[in-house]
Amino acid sequence: MKELFVEAKIEKLDSVLDFVRANMGECTPKAGNQIGIVIDEIFSNIARYAYNPTVGSVIIRVAVDDEGNEDTGNDCGGIITIEFEDSGTEYNPLSADEPDITLSADERPIGGLGIFMVKNIMDSVEYERNGNNNVLRIKKKL
């Protein structure tokens, strides 16, 4: 896995996006855009809430398993795994209640759609507490 160590600051989001894009290989524009949305959501939440009011760091890891590309005959394939690890406040985003998407935007409380969106875009979303660290692992078939 390739790793990037970065401060958990919103200003670092572009660096994180560039790192992931540089390590995910060739892919469809749709998959690239979806992964970009997910990265934005997860990293922004870490930057805003994990260390508040201080600033800590995040390790972002990216790996692409190219298994299956031989069958398709192109560079777009396999599974991308992206991990976010921080030592901020313990928080399992998967334990949050699902938002009621049947309500209108005016009736719905602010927030709560981000992790819902992440879970619907990605094929797998897993959380674990590893010692004092939060580890969020997401996977998507490319």
Side-chain angles (χ1 to χ4, degrees):
M1 285 190 128
K2 305 279 177 125
E3 291 187 339
L4 173 69
F5 293 81
V6 65
E7 283 184 304
K9 293 182 173 181
I10 293 293
E11 301 85 50
K12 301 294 184 179
L13 177 59
D14 286 339
S15 297
V16 173
L17 288 167
D18 290 345
F19 169 75
V20 173
R21 287 184 183 125
N23 289 289
M24 67 185 283
E26 294 297 317
C27 197
T28 65
K30 179 180 177 181
N33 288 337
Q34 288 177 327
I35 290 170
I37 290 167
V38 167
I39 298 302
D40 186 325
E41 177 63 28
I42 294 170
F43 184 79
S44 296
N45 282 340
I46 294 169
R48 287 188 183 108
Y49 305 115
Y51 298 101
N52 194 15
T54 62
V55 175
S57 61
V58 183
I59 303 170
I60 296 99
R61 297 181 185 95
V62 177
V64 177
D65 174 3
D66 292 327
E67 188 175 311
N69 281 355
E70 309 82 34
D71 299 336
T72 63
N74 64 36
D75 292 334
C76 186
I79 298 171
I80 187 169
T81 301
I82 306 167
E83 287 183 0
F84 295 83
E85 183 173 347
D86 68 78
S87 59
T89 303
E90 182 174 356
Y91 178 67
N92 178 355
L94 303 180
S95 66
D97 291 336
E98 292 284 322
D100 184 351
I101 58 173
T102 63
L103 297 174
S104 71
D106 291 335
E107 297 173 309
R108 228 178 297 139
I110 294 174
L113 289 177
I115 195 64
F116 175 79
M117 185 174 53
V118 169
K119 291 190 309 191
N120 282 284
I121 289 174
M122 302 305 287
D123 294 315
S124 171
V125 182
E126 302 168 354
Y127 170 84
E128 69 177 295
R129 185 74 175 172
N130 186 359
N132 292 324
N133 293 344
N134 297 298
V135 179
L136 187 68
R137 185 176 303 107
I138 59 176
K139 295 182 181 185
K140 183 164 186 68
K141 295 175 188 167
L142 298 174

